[in-house]
Amino acid sequence: MAGALALVGAALLVTACGSSDEVTDVPPVGGGGGGAPVIEVLSNRSDLISGGDALVELRLPDGAAVQDLRVSLNGADISAAFARRANGRVMGRVEGLRVGENTLSARLGGAGSSHTIRNYPNEGPIFSRPEIKRIRCQEGAVDMACNQPPVYTFLYRPTAPLQDGVGDALGGETPVVQLGVELQPYDPANPPDDVAMTTTQTGETVPFIVRQELGYQDRDQYKILTLFNPDAPWEPWAPQPQWNGKMLVTHGGNCGARYTPGNAPLDDYSGTFGDVPLIEPSYVYALGKGYAVMSTALANTGHNCDVALNAESIMMAKERFVEQYGPLRYTIGTGCSGGSIAQATIANAYPGLYQGLLTMCAYPDSLSAGLQFLDLHLMRLYFEDPSRWAPGVVWNPATWGPVEGHLTHVNAVVADEGLFKAATAVTGTCVGDDSYHPQDNPTGQRCGIIEWSPHIFGQRTPDVWQATEQQVGYGFTGIPLGNTGVQYGLNALRAGLITPAMFVDLNVKVGGLDVDIQPVAERIRADHPAVDNAYRSGMINMANNLDTVAIINFVGPDPGIAHDSVHAWWVRWRIEREHGSARNHVMWAGPVPLLGDLTYVYDGLDAMDRWLAAVEADGSDLPLADKLSVNRPGDVQDSCALADGQRLLGQECIDLLQPLYAYGTPRTVAGDTDTADNFDCVLKPLDRSDDYGLVPFTDDQWAQLEAVFGDGVCDYRAPGRGKQKTVSWLSYVDASGRVIVGGAPLPPPPAQSATGTQAEAFVYPVRDR
């Protein structure tokens, strides 16, 4: 393993260097540099380019003639690809990059410079993992890597009655919402007569005609939508004037793993609510403002719940966009449930891909919710089967919810049936006949989200192998979830909500889950290094990089359907813990469950745009986190919209919201910290003198607890075992295509690269390496 790490490190460092006989480190902007052109790779980091092309800009000394410029790729003259464009910049799309290292050289007279570009195949991988196992590709694929040329189609928004925004607007003008209207197919050869008009942020009033690009990268689908004039050209150095230079990325919900290509979702609510009736999707609203809209199947956590693969797909699709459409000013994400997970985990583990997040039905990550849902699953097994209770122990169903950390037991049922069981099931038909079955096919592909990410979690060690692992001779993927030492119901016992007999019976009989996610009588210890790697990878979101992105979160009353409002507060509390404040995190609350208000998706986009535009204009040397703080508009703050139309701001709003985050989890009821990110607690000896409420245990009850907690009980005063900060920009594949279990940090981005993926003000600090 050490050799593999050294190999990938050496290979990646080489890509950051230029040719030894050329000037490779020259001033970045016009003039100077001994007359040598400065090469800037705009479309991505120059060591992470994919698909065989890159958008490049050449910065020439003042007064230099572009006709004197000579550009070569791997020794072949490509000068014809570069010209001084209408925008005054010398730009060109370099095509024909070979897989591996390429040398791009530029020369003016006797002064030259070069830049090394490392190109990866369109099907990847780049840093996420070795080749994704696909049991089949999409119809239309041209090879076994699921590649397919992009397909372009047109859509339009038809005219329809307009209505002012539904509900109260915050942070911007009340939007005009077109109700009940979907984008329709558009035929340029036979245009319809009911095309709506729109005026974009650039002041262009144009027909609401949209071009959709649908293509495949990383063995899965991406979509790009832009307002488009079918009769006019669009080049990255000359985009059509209605585009505002910004991008909105939409996400789907849930958490899953699929071994066939999927669909790139567009609606914010995909996978969670479906289309909200009569309400225009926010991506359509964004298109009308002039935003480009992008989505990838692999950034839909319901299709792929692996943060590295989420991030890789977004990076590759953004690169594709810049190469075909032009440099970006900033990128904003939006989405509910799994869409909030994708945004928050990508922004923390791979900072720089997003500049702003619009989250709703929020979770910080999938595993934090998974730990809660594991406990709820076990409690369902206990509570819903009274035969498991000891004689003389009677549970009133009204006490189930408080022990689980919620008002009622309904939350547990929805979380278990709707999310946990499907996401973690290791048996099934995920790869057809070769899917795992403990008796019939023990060496088959195990299903579920844990087995989807063996490169992140690693294998279970021989000392914990169960019978099937011993039979096949190898450990399955480590499970970072366990419940050793957890005293379920502890705070409920202290408060007198349950009796000592109930507390003892629950903890004696709740049990755990084995490696096949089947119930067993004993508690289970979370696997290591799976826990350590989950923290390190960002699959458990420690928020240590979340201060580099602007966040507006929409929150509504907690409906008790597995989308607890407290999940949004986990994000805030983790940011506060890591950075001392949450100055980049804004809460908007309202009366609509989960969403706060149906207009927030529009108002939030407008508010985020004003926020990021102010940061973009900040040319100071302040760190990005400080720029986000000082440039946040004064009206973009914690805000509560009340049912009577009033608004409360700042701390007054936060105080009002307290009942929305009063609920917890089985772990917080057991004494865990509010941030809910201790996955394998440090143990302390069971002590009868600890606070167990006013009613003492009998000797028999205490003996039962000693049997369950022979190794000790959780001591939440100490950080959990393996707890650590997220390490940004990890790669899970080495230069030879072999897996790096747990990942290795990529080197810092090469100079003069990825400069077209966001405005200069948003360059993020390289940390936690």
Side-chain angles (χ1 to χ4, degrees):
M1 183 59 68
L5 293 174
L7 180 60
V8 69
L12 291 173
L13 285 171
V14 166
T15 67
C17 301
S19 170
S20 61
D21 60 353
E22 304 265 41
V23 177
T24 60
D25 184 14
V26 291
V29 180
V38 177
I39 301 172
E40 290 198 12
V41 179
L42 301 176
S43 51
N44 198 2
R45 290 177 47 148
S46 55
D47 57 344
L48 302 178
I49 291 290
S50 63
D53 56 356
L55 186 65
V56 174
E57 179 173 7
L58 302 178
R59 304 272 187 165
L60 306 185
D62 295 337
V66 71
Q67 60 265 29
D68 296 333
L69 179 68
R70 294 294 177 265
V71 187
S72 64
L73 176 66
N74 300 324
D77 191 306
I78 60 166
S79 303
F82 288 86
R84 196 179 297 277
R85 307 297 178 179
N87 59 9
R89 300 166 69 175
V90 178
M91 301 172 68
R93 190 164 45 234
V94 175
E95 299 176 334
L97 296 169
R98 63 195 179 201
V99 173
E101 290 187 0
N102 298 261
T103 300
L104 181 67
S105 299
R107 183 172 293 278
L108 273 171
S113 59
S114 66
H115 199 111
T116 299
I117 299 176
R118 185 172 182 83
N119 174 57
Y120 291 81
N122 182 66
E123 62 267 22
I126 299 178
F127 57 73
S128 67
R129 59 190 298 179
E131 176 183 327
I132 303 170
K133 183 176 183 180
R134 293 290 190 219
I135 57 174
R136 65 177 181 277
C137 288
Q138 75 281 2
E139 184 178 350
V142 299
D143 55 29
M144 296 299 291
C146 303
N147 288 310
Q148 181 178 342
V151 174
Y152 300 93
T153 55
F154 288 94
L155 305 165
Y156 79 103
R157 190 173 76 175
T159 56
L162 301 179
Q163 177 175 320
D164 285 345
V166 180
D168 294 321
L170 293 173
E173 297 179 357
T174 303
V176 174
V177 180
Q178 188 159 356
L179 302 181
V181 175
E182 299 287 338
L183 296 183
Q184 303 294 324
Y186 177 89
D187 181 2
N190 187 26
D193 57 8
D194 63 339
V195 178
M197 300 295 289
T198 188
T199 299
T200 72
Q201 291 179 336
T202 62
E204 299 288 323
T205 299
V206 295
F208 206 121
I209 300 170
V210 174
R211 190 179 77 168
Q212 174 180 283
E213 175 183 339
L214 188 151
Y216 287 82
Q217 295 174 318
D218 231 3
R219 302 172 187 261
D220 226 315
Q221 188 183 95
Y222 73 89
K223 291 178 184 174
I224 295 172
L225 278 71
T226 56
L227 281 177
F228 202 93
N229 179 355
D231 298 321
W234 186 318
E235 294 290 352
W237 41 82
Q240 292 185 4
Q242 67 273 11
W243 179 44
N244 62 16
K246 310 163 191 175
M247 174 180 285
L248 180 71
V249 179
T250 63
H251 300 82
N254 217 309
C255 180
R258 300 291 183 268
Y259 292 83
T260 55
N263 295 318
L266 284 174
D267 193 350
D268 302 294
Y269 311 112
S270 292
T272 306
F273 302 107
D275 294 334
V276 177
L278 302 180
I279 299 298
E280 179 180 80
S282 69
Y283 80 90
V284 178
Y285 176 76
L287 285 167
K289 292 280 190 176
Y291 287 82
V293 174
M294 188 182 80
S295 178
T296 75
L298 290 175
N300 172 10
T301 55
H303 179 64
N304 160 54
C305 221
D306 167 357
V307 63
L309 195 51
N310 293 155
E312 182 173 89
S313 74
I314 292 295
M315 182 192 74
M316 292 177 72
K318 283 185 66 174
E319 178 194 327
R320 167 74 184 180
F321 181 89
V322 173
E323 289 162 357
Q324 301 298 318
Y325 297 85
L328 285 161
R329 295 169 59 188
Y330 43 82
T331 299
I332 301 169
T334 185
C336 168
S337 188
S340 66
I341 291 173
Q343 293 180 74
T345 53
I346 292 171
N348 190 56
Y350 294 87
L353 292 176
Y354 295 105
Q355 283 69 56
L357 310 181
L358 300 173
T359 59
M360 59 209 87
C361 341
Y363 298 96
D365 56 68
S366 57
L367 288 182
S368 296
L371 188 65
Q372 176 189 8
F373 297 166
L374 162 72
D375 292 336
L376 295 177
H377 176 77
L378 293 174
M379 288 190 169
R380 284 195 71 199
L381 297 175
Y382 174 80
F383 285 134
E384 296 176 19
D385 182 7
S387 66
R388 300 181 69 184
W389 305 349
V393 174
V394 178
W395 281 88
N396 182 338
T399 63
W400 299 358
V403 170
E404 295 165 342
H406 213 274
L407 185 63
T408 73
H409 185 61
V410 172
N411 202 46
V413 175
V414 175
D416 195 30
E417 296 295 337
L419 298 170
F420 183 77
K421 287 182 178 179
T424 60
V426 299
T427 58
T429 58
C430 57
V431 294
D433 293 339
D434 194 33
S435 301
Y436 170 83
H437 188 278
Q439 288 82 41
D440 300 339
N441 191 19
T443 60
Q445 174 63 53
R446 288 161 59 86
C447 302
I449 61 171
I450 299 298
E451 292 290 349
W452 180 249
S453 300
H455 53 293
I456 292 179
F457 300 125
Q459 287 183 293
R460 283 161 49 88
T461 54
D463 58 301
V464 297
W465 285 1
Q466 296 179 9
T468 309
E469 293 168 294
Q470 294 171 1
Q471 176 189 349
V472 300
Y474 56 84
F476 298 141
T477 299
I479 301 175
L481 310 176
N483 66 346
T484 301
V486 178
Q487 299 182 87
Y488 292 113
L490 178 61
N491 287 338
L493 175 68
R494 290 170 173 168
L497 298 177
I498 62 174
T499 66
M502 297 161 73
F503 174 81
V504 171
D505 196 64
L506 170 63
N507 280 285
V508 167
K509 295 182 178 177
V510 72
L513 300 176
D514 68 9
V515 72
D516 284 342
I517 320 298
Q518 297 302 306
V520 291
E522 62 273 11
R523 299 294 185 95
I524 53 171
R525 168 71 80 178
D527 290 322
H528 290 266
V531 172
D532 314 62
N533 289 343
Y535 284 115
R536 188 169 182 270
S537 66
M539 290 290 286
I540 302 172
N541 191 344
M542 293 297 287
N544 51 294
N545 292 311
L546 278 187
D547 64 329
T548 63
V549 63
I551 305 171
I552 303 178
N553 178 77
F554 314 137
V555 61
D558 192 330
I561 52 172
H563 288 80
D564 309 8
S565 294
V566 74
H567 296 152
W569 293 90
W570 289 353
V571 178
R572 166 159 290 192
W573 294 333
R574 294 181 192 184
I575 293 174
E576 289 176 337
R577 178 191 63 198
E578 296 296 320
H579 305 290
S581 70
R583 53 188 179 163
N584 66 310
H585 186 269
V586 173
M587 288 276 200
W588 283 3
V592 178
L594 299 180
L595 305 177
D597 191 290
L598 293 178
T599 65
Y600 282 177
V601 289
Y602 319 112
D603 304 329
L605 179 60
D606 291 341
M608 180 62 72
D609 182 47
R610 290 188 291 116
W611 188 353
L612 296 180
V615 175
E616 179 186 27
D618 187 340
S620 71
D621 293 330
L622 284 174
L624 177 55
D626 292 335
K627 288 183 181 180
L628 290 170
S629 175
V630 301
N631 290 290
R632 177 162 59 89
D635 61 336
V636 182
Q637 58 178 296
D638 293 333
S639 183
C640 295
L642 307 183
D644 62 2
Q646 297 185 58
R647 286 178 58 192
L648 299 179
L649 302 177
Q651 189 59 46
E652 190 177 18
C653 170
I654 298 301
D655 292 341
L656 179 71
L657 291 179
Q658 195 277 333
L660 294 180
Y661 58 84
Y663 301 127
T665 73
R667 295 292 165 104
T668 57
V669 176
D672 194 4
T673 59
D674 287 340
T675 53
D677 53 4
N678 291 303
F679 275 62
D680 188 14
C681 64
V682 172
L683 299 179
K684 66 178 182 179
L686 184 67
D687 187 345
R688 201 164 184 173
S689 66
D690 282 349
D691 179 11
Y692 287 103
L694 297 177
V695 181
F697 296 110
T698 67
D699 290 343
D700 178 64
Q701 290 169 344
W702 189 254
Q704 293 182 67
L705 292 177
E706 288 180 319
V708 173
F709 298 119
D711 293 330
V713 296
C714 288
D715 182 359
Y716 290 116
R717 297 169 300 177
R721 296 178 65 232
K723 192 171 185 177
Q724 57 190 279
K725 296 181 185 296
T726 300
V727 179
S728 64
W729 286 91
L730 290 177
S731 176
Y732 295 88
V733 59
D734 71 15
S736 299
R738 297 187 297 263
V739 65
I740 305 173
V741 176
L746 290 166
Q752 275 78 58
S753 68
T755 53
T757 59
Q758 74 284 307
E760 185 178 359
F762 295 104
V763 174
Y764 65 93
V766 177
R767 307 167 165 167
D768 306 317
R769 311 303 295 169

